[in-house]
Amino acid sequence: MPITPEQRDEIDRLRAVTATTRRATVPALEEILYQPLDVLDHGFVRVIDYMGDDAAVVQAARVSYGKGTKKVSEDSGLIKYLMRHRHSTPFEMCEIKFHVKLPIFVARQWIRHRTANVNEYSARYSILDREFYVPAPEQLGAQAVVNRQGRGDVLEGEEAADVMRLLREDSKRAYNHYEEMLNHREDGTVIDPSRQGLARELARMNLSLNYYTQWYWKVDLHNLLHFLSLRADAHAQYEIRVYADAMLDVVKRWVPAVFESFTEYRMGGAHLSRTGLDVVKRLLAGEPVTQEASGLSKREWRELMDQLGRSDS
């Protein structure tokens, strides 16, 4: 299950309380505060707390107090200017804290973004849940031929069925042995009173990377957008991309003007090298340009043509 009964009780208690504050709040984000947004088979993302809104970004950029007399349209224009020219500091004035439940192998990718405050569930202190990730059949891709770190065509038939069987059997067996070494069941009860059981910090090493962990992840808006620009990209691994997609929806609720500028200039935009820009200028001038004469490598040429919608060139 994505959340435990205890977590559901905590969520219900938190959502039953309404506080009066002079700080900026965002009604659209308040609607989902504390609520889990389901991701994958057992995972979730939920917002625990946040600070600031679109106006906080504008306020920081103008180094002023309050919203002043500026119009919303002018605020939106300023945010677009900041995003377009990569003036990142004003976006650092907003922060958000997530509670995330995710497979361990996704967490190991995620933690490479070293710009957040993280506190992870301790398997030295507590027993991990019997919950592991098994991909949906349409996500069982073979190794890609061109991209060494990606997946290619989807496995089918008996091969796909064998992979699904092995994933489930190995994960269940690993957890059974984990409990046996601990001499404790998932609910904490003792299996054999005559045995001591292995320390949790050692027994955990037997579990596979598809088991779920949890953490609290607090980050400022600038670094969150950098994370999303990489992990919500179509080339990112599916299992981390779906988390990024859920967080993009949160950003849309939280700071809609920032979201609009981010999708316009980052997610929907393109960065060109000096040589790539020169190729574009030559093409606009009507000059026929080939990869060999462009000054670009084959890979850079292919990427540029994809960006320009000229994949057959």
Side-chain angles (χ1 to χ4, degrees), residues 17 24 26 51 53 69 72 82-83 86 116-117 123 171 192 218 238 243 252 269-270 282 293 299:
V17 177
V26 181
M51 180 184 75
D53 57 4
T69 59
V72 173
L82 296 171
M83 186 70 68
R86 298 180 182 272
N117 303 114
S171 299
D192 183 353
K218 182 172 72 71
Y238 167 79
Y243 283 91
K252 185 177 182 180
R282 291 163 64 186
R299 182 168 184 172

Side-chain angles (χ1 to χ4, degrees), residues 240-289:
I240 198 169
R241 192 170 73 242
V242 289
Y243 283 91
D245 288 342
M247 296 164 81
L248 264 178
D249 290 338
V250 169
V251 171
K252 185 177 182 180
R253 285 175 172 269
W254 177 28
V255 281
V258 171
F259 174 83
E260 181 183 358
S261 65
F262 175 67
T263 53
E264 173 70 17
Y265 297 109
R266 292 292 181 269
M267 300 300 291
H271 177 77
L272 299 180
S273 66
R274 180 180 60 187
T275 305
L277 181 59
D278 180 63
V279 170
V280 172
K281 290 177 179 178
R282 291 163 64 186
L283 290 172
L284 288 174
E287 179 184 344
V289 184

Side-chain angles (χ1 to χ4, degrees), residues 156-176:
E156 296 179 347
E158 186 175 343
E159 184 177 10
D162 285 343
V163 169
M164 296 290 280
R165 176 181 57 79
L166 289 172
L167 283 171
R168 290 195 175 95
E169 288 181 359
D170 288 354
S171 299
K172 290 177 180 178
R173 182 182 299 111
Y175 197 89
N176 289 339

Side-chain angles (χ1 to χ4, degrees), residues 15 18 24 130 134 143 206 211 227 246 267 295 305-307:
R15 287 182 59 82
T18 301
R130 187 190 284 267
V134 175
Q143 177 62 48
N206 194 54
Y211 268 85
F227 170 85
M267 300 300 291
M305 292 301 104
D306 286 343
Q307 289 173 326

